[in-house]
Amino acid sequence: MLHGDIDDSEESTGSGPDLWQLAGLPGGLIQASYLTSRYAAQYRLIVDVLLDQQQYTLTGVAAADLPGLLRDHVTKAGADPAILDDPAFNLKLRMDRLDKWRVVDIFQDRAERDADFVRDLDRYQLTEVAAELHRAVLSLGHDVASAAAATLAPSVLTANLAALRDTVTTDPAAAAAAWSVLQTTHQSMAKAAAGWQARLAGALAGAPDQKKITTVQETLRRYVDMWGAGVDTHSESITALVESLNGVAAPVWRRIAVHNLGPSADDAAIDELIASYSLTLTTLRRWFDGPDCQARRLRRQMRDTIGPLLRGQRTLAAVGGHISRRAELLALAARLEESADDEAGWASWCTATGLFSARHLPGTTPAPAGNAGAASFWEAEPVQVEARLRKHGPKATTGTAARIQDRAEGRRAAKERTAQVQAAAARTEAGVLARSGQRLSQWRNLTGPELEMLLVMLGVVAGARPDSAGVRTATTGDDRWMLRADPPPTDAPAAVVHTPDGRLVHPDIRLHITPAASVA
């Protein structure tokens, strides 16, 4: 990507290609050049200070004050401010270059005394684009604000959608206030979810290490704490409120948009804001409506990371990594404190640690199989154990095993077993799919696996909401089967399906089963 950057080796001569010709190329962002320069650290220090000063001054930073502000910033960062005295740090040259890159605007104070004519009266202010760009740079890797705004997001959406529904036709000011909260929460939810998915994708890629395991655990904890429980609780309410707001007439939305933008707003801006209203409502419905909505898809993605997380923890433990047992120890301490007496506490301790007392049983045990001339463990001479092995246990041993265990026979048996399981599953699916379109009273001679598959599909269909004709449509949790259940005839008796385990009594629905791949 070309930003219009010029090699900093040209700064001392002023030669090089025409900056404005480079900036005229489509897609360029000349303000980002300070991030790719070989003096990027110096430029970022200057821009950091100018951006920080925007909250204290509205008229920019004076050239005479900038060196002191830079020193204060370097000192707070824990670095030696003497590095600013290095000849390689030419502040005037750096500011001229930032001016050419449109990162800062340079203007001058008015000279009021004769001495002002020999002073540097320049003032520096970040341009609007550069300030927004640097805020984005500073926010990389930090999602605290968006995560905090996403806290209890479904409940916030429910409350403000209800407020918007109650005031949309009567109180434009209250409706506009509710809408502003909806818009902010919607954007924060999208940003937080995108951040969660990006961190999970990076943590699950490649070989596991302790940092990746920690990242996955923290991401799952944030999701559960902030959003997970609210999906089931508020999805129905959010969907119903969005449906009621979709029926609001266009002039009502236009009145709210005019209240937001002011009576002097042009028609193009008003139409654009009204379109954003419709787009946000459509997005919220796509997020929360139905069993296959985006909120539940995100929850399934979070659920599917638990398996790789556990496998990664086992891998780290197998190669010598250390997994904290702090939570288990705290739980054990709590059980010990709650014990009724010392005996109960000792029993809990032995159960958790395996330190059971020795028990002597009467009689003699048979000789172990193998070499009859081998010495018994009780009769053999003691063996000297090195102190290193006593202290470190198995970790003290080094090197590889003398011979790798041959698992070819086990893998062959596992493959045969997998092929048999897959063949049985294919027969079961073919048997169920052959009954698609029949009423349950026509399902006969079900096998055990076919019954299990049918029960799963009936459970999925029962969780779907019927339409006006009573037809229920749903997709199974593994996204493999599209189901449609037609209601039973009026006054029809319940269907009785005979199975190997007994009888299944269910309303006599007509169940249509279609592979999802064929629908796509």
Side-chain angles (χ1 to χ4, degrees):
M1 181 176 65
L2 180 61
H3 295 300
D5 193 5
I6 296 179
D7 190 353
D8 287 300
S9 62
E10 301 169 356
E11 287 184 345
S12 58
T13 61
S15 61
D18 190 349
L19 186 65
W20 306 107
Q21 291 179 0
L22 293 177
L25 289 177
L29 184 61
I30 192 174
Q31 290 84 355
S33 300
Y34 75 96
L35 297 172
T36 59
S37 166
R38 64 187 177 119
Y39 296 115
Q42 297 180 9
Y43 288 124
R44 282 201 58 175
L45 171 63
I46 297 172
V47 178
D48 280 342
V49 170
L50 294 179
L51 183 64
D52 182 65
Q53 288 299 309
Q54 283 190 345
Q55 58 182 323
Y56 304 113
T57 174
L58 303 178
T59 57
V61 176
D65 299 334
L66 185 57
L69 295 173
L70 293 174
R71 289 183 178 275
D72 293 341
H73 190 83
V74 171
T75 303
K76 291 180 181 178
D80 185 5
I83 59 177
L84 300 179
D85 300 328
D86 191 280
F89 185 74
N90 189 330
L91 182 57
K92 185 65 176 177
L93 188 61
R94 298 290 175 264
M95 300 310 300
D96 291 341
R97 183 62 62 185
L98 290 174
D99 181 33
K100 292 181 179 180
W101 284 334
R102 305 176 193 167
V103 177
V104 298
D105 289 325
I106 301 178
F107 54 97
Q108 288 190 335
D109 281 334
R110 184 195 308 180
E112 299 179 352
R113 298 183 298 272
D114 293 341
D116 293 340
F117 289 95
V118 296
R119 294 174 52 209
D120 187 356
L121 299 181
D122 288 344
R123 298 187 71 86
Y124 307 117
Q125 180 71 282
L126 288 179
T127 62
E128 182 180 0
V129 174
E132 293 296 331
L133 172 63
H134 203 65
R135 290 190 185 97
V137 171
L138 293 177
S139 66
L140 292 178
H142 301 281
D143 66 339
V144 176
S146 62
T151 303
L152 303 177
S155 60
V156 174
L157 289 175
T158 302
N160 286 276
L161 283 171
L164 180 61
R165 178 199 59 190
D166 297 339
T167 60
V168 66
T169 57
T170 58
D171 191 348
W179 187 262
S180 64
V181 178
L182 287 172
Q183 195 80 353
T184 303
T185 307
H186 161 243
Q187 295 173 357
S188 299
M189 289 175 67
K191 185 177 180 180
W196 292 333
Q197 290 179 326
R199 277 190 295 277
L200 285 178
L204 296 176
D209 54 34
Q210 189 62 49
K211 183 177 180 181
K212 290 182 178 180
I213 294 296
T214 302
T215 300
V216 175
Q217 290 175 334
E218 290 179 352
T219 304
L220 288 173
R221 190 181 307 112
R222 290 181 184 180
Y223 170 79
V224 172
D225 293 344
M226 296 176 185
W227 198 1
V231 173
D232 289 332
T233 306
H234 298 281
S235 292
E236 296 289 342
S237 301
I238 293 176
T239 302
L241 290 169
V242 169
E243 288 181 354
S244 64
L245 289 171
N246 283 332
V248 176
V252 177
W253 292 118
R254 187 175 184 85
R255 183 173 61 174
I256 297 175
V258 171
H259 183 84
N260 273 333
L261 300 176
S264 60
D266 56 1
D267 290 338
I270 294 175
D271 293 339
E272 182 179 358
L273 185 57
I274 294 175
S276 72
Y277 293 164
S278 176
L279 179 61
T280 301
L281 292 176
T282 302
T283 303
L284 291 178
R285 180 161 189 168
R286 189 181 302 118
W287 279 3
F288 293 99
D289 187 17
D292 202 38
C293 62
Q294 295 296 322
R296 288 189 169 90
R297 282 178 178 268
L298 177 61
R299 185 172 60 184
R300 287 197 291 269
Q301 288 182 358
M302 294 293 176
R303 177 201 62 195
D304 294 342
T305 61
I306 297 177
L309 172 63
L310 295 178
R311 288 195 296 270
Q313 288 179 328
R314 294 193 187 103
T315 301
L316 287 181
V319 299
H322 298 277
I323 303 300
S324 174
R325 305 294 295 273
R326 181 174 181 270
E328 297 179 14
L329 292 176
L330 291 177
L332 175 58
R335 291 199 300 271
L336 293 176
E337 290 180 355
E338 295 173 357
S339 300
D341 49 29
D342 292 343
E343 293 183 0
W346 177 250
S348 299
W349 173 261
C350 292
T351 302
T353 60
L355 298 178
F356 297 99
S357 58
R359 295 188 179 184
H360 301 279
L361 303 177
T364 59
T365 59
N371 185 5
S376 170
F377 173 83
W378 302 104
E379 300 173 355
E381 294 293 329
V383 177
Q384 184 68 28
V385 180
E386 298 180 4
R388 179 169 59 91
L389 185 59
R390 292 198 306 269
K391 291 181 179 179
H392 301 287
K395 292 184 181 180
T397 59
T398 58
T400 59
R403 185 179 67 179
I404 299 177
Q405 185 177 359
D406 184 9
R407 296 187 175 88
E409 185 64 24
R411 290 195 296 269
R412 184 191 61 77
K415 289 181 180 179
E416 291 181 357
R417 174 60 180 167
T418 301
Q420 295 174 0
V421 172
Q422 291 177 349
R427 290 193 299 269
T428 300
E429 293 174 355
V432 173
L433 192 60
R435 296 179 173 88
S436 176
Q438 299 179 359
R439 295 201 175 274
L440 289 184
S441 58
Q442 299 173 320
W443 289 53
R444 298 182 178 88
N445 300 324
L446 284 179
T447 64
E450 290 174 349
L451 173 62
E452 293 181 3
M453 187 173 177
L454 174 61
L455 291 176
V456 171
M457 291 182 174
L458 292 178
V460 172
V461 169
R465 291 181 300 174
D467 59 11
S468 57
V471 178
R472 300 174 183 264
T473 305
T475 304
T476 56
D478 55 3
D479 292 334
R480 294 191 58 203
W481 306 102
M482 299 288 293
L483 307 177
R484 191 182 84 245
D486 297 336
T490 306
D491 300 331
V496 179
V497 182
H498 295 275
T499 70
D501 298 328
R503 296 185 305 166
L504 171 64
V505 181
H506 193 277
D508 195 12
I509 62 173
R510 187 183 299 276
L511 185 61
H512 301 270
I513 308 170
T514 306
S518 63
V519 175

